[in-house]
Amino acid sequence: MLFRSHAGRSGSTKTTGWLVTLGTMELQVFSPSSVEDHTFCPRYWQLKRSWTPRYVSYSEVSAAIGTAFAAGAADYNKARQHGATRTETELMAVAYGSYDQIRLSWSVNNRRLDSEAEKLADRVAVLLRAGLKQLLLHDPFSGFTILKVEETIPNAGNARPDILLADSLGPLVADYKCKMNLREQWVSNTLDRYEYSGQMYHYCHFEGCDRYLIALVVLAPKPMIRVRSFAIDPNYKQIWERDSIIAWNFLQLDTEDLRTGKASWLRGRTTQHEKFGKPCEYSRACLQYGLNEDMMRLDYSPKEETPWATPK
C-alpha cells in the first residue's frame, strides 16, 4: 500500500476532509466522481460545483432515474437484511418519491427540461417499474449476506457503495448501474467496461475488499438484470493508488487556489469540448461567453454554496 488513511479535518475547505498520509505529506481524499470530473477537465469540475445549467438534459434525467432506482433497491435490500420483504407497489413508492424530490428541485430552481429530456421524463414510471420488477424477480445478490446498504465509507471522501455483501470468501462491494436503453447484444461489452473501474477500486480499497460485483440494470427495450464479478488486480491497484495520489493532490491544490482567490477560474481543455461523445454542458460558458459571469447567467445559475467556500 502506497498510503495509509486516517480521519482528520482539512483546514483549507469548508467540508470535512479525510486525509491520507504519504510520508510526511497529508492529502485530502476526494470522491471518485470528483476525480473523474477533474481529470476530464479541472474547469468542468469547478463549473459543475458552482453553476447549474438552466435546462435539464437527457443525461441528467437519466441520472435521476438511476438515483430513483437505487433508492428503491436500497429499500428492498434493507428490508431483506432484516428478514422482511417488499412489494412492487412499495418499491415504486420509494423510487418515484426519490425522483419526485429531484424533479421538485428542478422546479424550485426554475430549470426546464429540454426536448429530449421531456421525452425521457414521460417514461419515468414505466422505466422504474420495469427495473424494480426485474429486481424482485431476479435479485442479483440473493446468494450473499448483506452487511451494509448505502452507508458512507469512513475516511474515503464521502464514497458510498450501493451495498456491501459477504460470502464464504469474505466481503465484497456491489453497485447497480442503470441503462435507459441497451440492446441485449451490447450487455457483455458494457459490463466489460467496469473491469478496471476507478470508482470500484476506490470502494474496495477503503472497504478492504479484493472483489466487487456490478449489477447492470437494463430498463429498455428488454428489461433485464445481468451481474458480473470482478477481482481486484494487485498490479493495477498499485497504478490506481499512484494515480489517485496525483489526482487528490491536484484537487487539493485547486480547491485551495479557489478558496484563497489565487485563481478565479481553473485551467480547461482547449482541444476537446465533448463528454462521452456529447457536447459538454458547460461548453457555452467557456466558448460562447468566455467565462463572463454576466453573460453566463443567460444559460446558467450560480450555486449558493461551493465546496471551496470559506466557512462563515
Side-chain angles (χ1 to χ4, degrees), residues 64-65 67-76 86-103 124-133 135-136:
I65 294 173
T67 298
F69 174 86
D75 185 68
Y76 168 82
R86 288 288 185 266
T87 65
E88 182 182 315
T89 300
E90 290 171 328
L91 295 183
M92 273 297 293
V94 173
Y96 203 82
S98 172
Y99 177 79
D100 226 24
Q101 287 184 334
I102 298 172
R103 185 174 59 176
V124 168
V126 172
L127 293 172
L128 283 175
R129 190 175 298 278
L132 293 171
K133 185 174 291 187
L135 178 64
L136 288 168

Side-chain angles (χ1 to χ4, degrees), residues 153-189:
I153 307 173
N155 315 343
N158 296 319
R160 188 175 68 174
D162 287 339
I163 188 168
L164 180 67
L165 304 166
D167 61 9
S168 60
L169 299 177
L172 65 166
V173 293
D175 245 35
Y176 298 98
K177 304 295 182 184
C178 279
K179 294 295 180 183
M180 301 302 107
N181 195 304
L182 186 70
R183 297 201 175 276
E184 193 165 7
Q185 62 263 37
W186 299 111
V187 167
S188 181
N189 286 344

Side-chain angles (χ1 to χ4, degrees), residues 2 45 61 75 80 100 106 136 289 300 303:
L2 295 175
W45 170 82
V61 174
D75 185 68
R80 190 168 79 80
D100 226 24
W106 296 336
L136 288 168
Y289 302 139
Y300 307 91
K303 294 185 178 181

Side-chain angles (χ1 to χ4, degrees), residues 56-62 65 96 99 106 112-128 180-181 220:
V56 178
S57 66
Y58 178 98
S59 61
E60 197 169 347
V61 174
S62 175
I65 294 173
Y96 203 82
Y99 177 79
W106 296 336
R112 298 168 56 190
L113 278 65
D114 66 26
S115 58
E116 291 301 311
E118 281 185 348
K119 293 177 184 177
L120 181 58
D122 288 341
R123 301 170 56 213
V124 168
V126 172
L127 293 172
L128 283 175
M180 301 302 107
N181 195 304

Side-chain angles (χ1 to χ4, degrees), residues 167-238:
D167 61 9
S168 60
L169 299 177
L172 65 166
V173 293
D175 245 35
Y176 298 98
K177 304 295 182 184
C178 279
K179 294 295 180 183
M180 301 302 107
N181 195 304
L182 186 70
R183 297 201 175 276
E184 193 165 7
Q185 62 263 37
W186 299 111
V187 167
S188 181
N189 286 344
T190 301
L191 283 167
D192 287 345
R193 297 172 186 171
Y194 295 102
E195 184 171 7
Y196 296 102
S197 164
Q199 178 194 41
M200 301 310 292
Y201 268 69
H202 185 106
Y203 290 166
C204 285
H205 175 84
F206 286 100
E207 285 285 18
C209 303
D210 58 9
R211 298 170 298 148
Y212 60 94
L213 296 171
I214 295 294
L216 185 66
V217 183
V218 178
L219 304 182
K222 178 184 177 182
M224 68 183 81
I225 296 182
R226 296 291 183 268
V227 65
R228 184 178 295 179
S229 63
F230 299 89
I232 294 294
D233 182 326
N235 294 322
Y236 183 73
K237 185 180 179 183
Q238 292 185 26

Side-chain angles (χ1 to χ4, degrees), residues 32-45:
S33 60
S34 285
V35 170
E36 180 180 341
D37 290 343
H38 190 272
T39 301
F40 165 70
C41 173
R43 192 183 301 141
Y44 173 83
W45 170 82

